[in-house]
Amino acid sequence: MNKAANGKIEIVNAGKIYDPAGIHVVAVENCSFNLEAGQFVSVVGPSGCGKSTLLNTIAGFDTITSGEILMDGELLASPEIQTPPGPDRVVVFQGGALFPWKTVSENIIYGPVIQKNMERPEAEKMAISLLNRVGLTKVETKYPSELSSGVQRRVEILRALINQPKIMMLDEPFRALDAVAKSVMHNFLLELFDENPRTMFFITHDLDEAIYLSDLVVVMTTRPAKVKKIIKIDLPRPRRLDVIKTEIYRSVKADLLSIVHEEALKAFKAGEREMA
Amino acid sequence: MTRIKNLAAAPTFYAALAGMILFFSSWYFLTETLTLPRFKNIPDPLSVVTEWSAIHPKYGVSLFTKPYYVDILYSIIRTYAAFAGAVVFGVSLGIVMGWSRILHNYTFPLVEIFRPMPPLSWIPLAVLVLPGIELPVVFVTFIAAFFATVLNTLLGVQSINRDYFLAAKCLGAKPRDILFHVVIPGSLPFIFTGLQIAMGIAWMSIVAGEIIAGQRGLGYYIYEAAALFQYEQVIMYMFTLGFLGYVSSVAIRYVGNLLMAWEEAKRKAR
């Protein structure tokens, strides 16, 4: 897992207009920001504001209708170009997408085996050592349905990481977890990240989560989504839970809260207008 | 009330036994003790069992005679041939329909028109086109099982969470990998439900086909025996069909469980 990965992402004036039945819905408009290689970037903003559109476009599931997205200086997506999904840009899905018909170990080794990067026995050994390193023992022959959702999440993250992607994208991956499981997941993710930093695109609603994990928090506006503010989180790494007691954390949180609150109010009023 | 609840929750074996005893004693009661006018000619369970297990049966066929097994064999071969065809072609078409939007649009309305056509309505055309008597009977059975399989396979493919496709693509899967690692395993639970239904339909149609166009086979002999007023034979063959259908169903479930270990794990985890 120590291949040098770049994974700088530049989003330049990206825009997305959905046109279902002739009704123009501007989901994203003139959106620009960068994810430096190896940077942990969280994107927060009101629901349905087009955060997922950006993620899906980088992943290759969707397209943008204006602007462009570059990866390591090469064009990844534009209105004309859509790079098909691949193991250099792996997504961890909101609802979890471990294959229920494969065991934990079969799930983890799926990427390397299917790409013929590794022989199956070698990959299996690696899967077990990965699992052990994160404290999951005796789960490799289990099926996902036999595991708690927290463990399923961790396995899915390992399944992504074993491919050594340039960028990992997580779409509200811990939304369904309770507070305790969530905090376990945060430290799990941070440990993996510290050990092997790579570009992370993390979508969330949870401000504490965003600050605790990220180098950069991008706040999006209500639809059409634009970048409202980019906040740099100057907390040292490796981070442990006590950073939430620091002055920096508290002031960042206060800033973020007021910005998000402002956007949420706008979204609320826009909703009222639509209703009226 | 609790007593009824306890009875309903009785161990399966005893519950099954109790159900059987209740059924057979009411049968006996209706045909022997009460002898309702319309039930007069129906043989009671004891005489059916006696005839069935006789070494020298009255009407020449029992557990100890060869013709009994020849009939069974004929019906089994026909049913399973038709069923095998339905599995191969039905599953393939169902997967292709679920896989390709275009093919789905071309074929779905046709499938929906053909599917409700009763299998027996195919007999005239089957006899007209297909040579011999075996092929038409097998074809009619095949047709019935085929559409049930197609529809369930299609539903199975459509039931697969879209994220599994995306996740597979992210991990580097090509269309072929997605077919074998997402589409097929993902639709297996529905496919096997469909196969159980298809097997049931196949047994229903084979009997009808044999009655109308067949020679030998359980359906044919039910009709023969009825014409000769040998009602013990009719009932004996009916139960034989019941057992064969039951065993077929169990076999499909067994194969399904072997292929879908994860479903078993899910049931246990609940």
Side-chain angles (χ1 to χ4, degrees):
Chain A
M1 289 235 305
N2 281 313
K3 198 163 80 180
N6 293 317
K8 176 180 174 155
I9 299 282
E10 292 162 86
I11 301 171
V12 189
N13 292 327
K16 173 80 180 179
I17 297 171
Y18 288 100
D19 201 358
I23 310 159
H24 273 253
V25 177
V26 184
V28 182
E29 195 176 62
N30 269 334
C31 182
S32 300
F33 62 93
N34 291 355
L35 296 88
E36 296 301 328
Q39 206 173 32
F40 200 126
V41 178
S42 286
V43 179
V44 299
S47 310
C49 81
K51 301 175 299 246
S52 297
T53 305
L54 289 176
L55 183 146
N56 287 338
T57 306
I58 297 171
F61 306 152
D62 203 349
T63 54
I64 41 175
T65 48
S66 60
E68 50 193 32
I69 296 177
L70 301 112
M71 182 162 75
D72 296 328
E74 279 176 45
L75 194 58
L76 188 72
S78 75
E80 293 82 33
I81 289 171
Q82 183 184 4
T83 311
D88 54 343
R89 291 157 286 135
V90 182
V91 176
V92 173
F93 292 86
Q94 188 180 92
L98 287 175
F99 303 125
W101 46 85
K102 289 184 180 293
T103 62
V104 166
S105 149
E106 286 166 350
N107 262 293
I108 294 177
I109 67 173
Y110 188 72
V113 168
I114 205 90
Q115 298 159 47
K116 301 199 171 66
N117 285 342
M118 262 188 233
E119 291 299 318
R120 182 175 272 272
E122 183 198 352
E124 264 163 13
K125 246 184 238 160
M126 186 159 176
I128 291 171
S129 87
L130 271 177
L131 285 166
N132 289 343
R133 205 160 76 205
V134 299
L136 295 172
T137 51
K138 293 178 189 153
V139 296
E140 61 270 12
T141 56
K142 291 218 160 87
Y143 286 104
S145 62
E146 298 173 274
L147 309 171
S148 71
S149 48
V151 175
Q152 287 181 20
R153 272 309 128 97
R154 278 180 272 180
V155 172
E156 194 173 345
I157 289 169
L158 293 181
R159 180 176 80 170
L161 274 177
I162 199 172
N163 297 285
Q164 310 180 354
K166 289 184 172 173
I167 175 170
M168 234 175 100
M169 289 165 277
L170 303 96
D171 190 352
E172 295 191 58
F174 310 143
R175 186 182 196 169
L177 301 183
D178 61 71
V180 178
K182 222 173 179 180
S183 135
V184 172
M185 291 303 304
H186 292 155
N187 290 320
F188 166 81
L189 195 58
L190 279 182
E191 270 170 42
L192 288 173
F193 181 75
D194 290 337
E195 220 172 278
N196 197 298
R198 60 187 66 241
T199 319
M200 302 287 235
F201 187 118
F202 192 96
I203 293 181
T204 180
H205 276 113
D206 181 336
L207 298 184
D208 284 299
E209 180 175 85
I211 303 168
Y212 184 52
L213 296 174
S214 317
D215 300 309
L216 219 58
V217 176
V218 178
V219 184
M220 306 279 274
T221 62
T222 16
R223 220 161 55 196
K226 277 177 277 194
V227 175
K228 182 168 177 82
K229 181 134 196 183
I230 298 176
I231 297 180
K232 203 163 171 4
I233 313 291
D234 269 324
L235 293 167
R237 288 186 190 274
R239 287 183 197 162
R240 294 296 168 259
L241 217 67
D242 47 10
V243 299
I244 64 167
K245 291 181 210 147
T246 60
E247 191 49 46
I248 306 176
Y249 186 94
R250 266 181 293 201
S251 76
V252 167
K253 170 120 195 242
D255 276 1
L256 204 50
L257 209 57
S258 70
I259 299 166
V260 171
H261 183 69
E262 202 181 299
E263 262 328 294
L265 266 182
K266 272 191 212 160
F268 185 71
K269 280 181 188 147
E272 274 188 336
R273 265 203 307 278
E274 269 172 37
M275 298 284 279
Chain B
M1 203 54 210
T2 47
R3 200 180 273 175
I4 294 170
K5 257 189 201 155
N6 285 343
L7 198 69
T12 31
F13 175 77
Y14 293 110
L17 193 69
M20 296 257 180
I21 290 171
L22 204 66
F23 171 76
F24 285 103
S25 48
S26 356
W27 176 7
Y28 189 86
F29 179 72
L30 285 173
T31 51
E32 281 300 297
T33 319
L34 207 62
T35 49
L36 292 173
R38 303 294 302 174
F39 280 52
K40 198 165 60 201
N41 291 327
I42 294 183
D44 68 290
L46 280 182
S47 50
V48 172
V49 171
T50 314
E51 174 74 0
W52 202 352
S53 58
I55 295 179
H56 301 292
K58 232 181 339 177
Y59 303 121
V61 181
S62 78
L63 278 174
F64 298 99
T65 63
K66 200 174 151 217
Y68 180 66
Y69 295 100
V70 174
D71 286 334
I72 290 181
L73 198 65
Y74 265 93
S75 289
I76 285 184
I77 290 173
R78 286 167 182 158
T79 308
Y80 277 71
F83 179 74
V87 173
V88 172
F89 294 106
V91 170
S92 311
L93 180 62
I95 282 178
V96 172
M97 282 174 76
W99 180 256
S100 147
R101 192 78 229 160
I102 299 167
L103 224 119
H104 176 270
N105 292 345
Y106 271 91
T107 51
F108 188 71
L110 283 175
V111 169
E112 283 303 276
I113 290 171
F114 279 105
R115 198 168 60 86
M117 291 182 190
L120 293 188
S121 68
W122 284 88
I123 285 186
L125 292 187
V127 171
L128 193 67
V129 172
L130 296 166
I133 28 175
E134 283 310 319
L135 280 179
V137 174
V138 172
F139 175 77
V140 165
T141 309
F142 161 78
I143 276 290
F146 172 74
F147 286 111
T149 311
V150 171
L151 191 72
N152 273 280
T153 307
L154 174 63
L155 290 177
V157 178
Q158 288 173 341
S159 76
I160 302 170
N161 182 347
R162 184 173 160 270
D163 286 350
Y164 297 152
F165 290 91
L166 298 179
K169 282 185 193 164
C170 270
L171 298 170
K174 293 174 189 59
R176 202 190 113 92
D177 302 317
I178 291 178
L179 175 65
F180 285 105
H181 303 139
V182 178
V183 176
I184 292 177
S187 49
L188 269 188
F190 274 76
I191 291 179
F192 270 84
T193 309
L195 292 188
Q196 296 239 20
I197 297 169
M199 187 55 109
I201 296 177
W203 277 110
M204 282 182 221
S205 323
I206 197 73
V207 170
E210 284 172 344
I211 287 178
I212 293 176
Q215 263 184 20
R216 303 223 63 122
L218 295 166
Y220 177 74
Y221 268 92
I222 285 182
Y223 205 63
E224 277 263 299
L228 299 169
F229 305 110
Q230 298 167 354
Y231 289 111
E232 283 89 348
Q233 299 266 302
V234 171
I235 294 175
M236 178 183 119
Y237 276 118
M238 284 170 70
F239 273 100
T240 306
L241 279 164
F243 283 123
L244 291 175
Y246 190 10
V247 170
S248 305
S249 228
V250 170
I252 292 175
R253 267 201 295 276
Y254 180 76
V255 174
N257 288 344
L258 277 187
L259 288 177
M260 295 181 287
W262 75 89
E263 287 284 309
E264 186 68 20
K266 191 161 80 187
R267 274 192 291 274
K268 270 189 201 141
R270 261 188 215 133

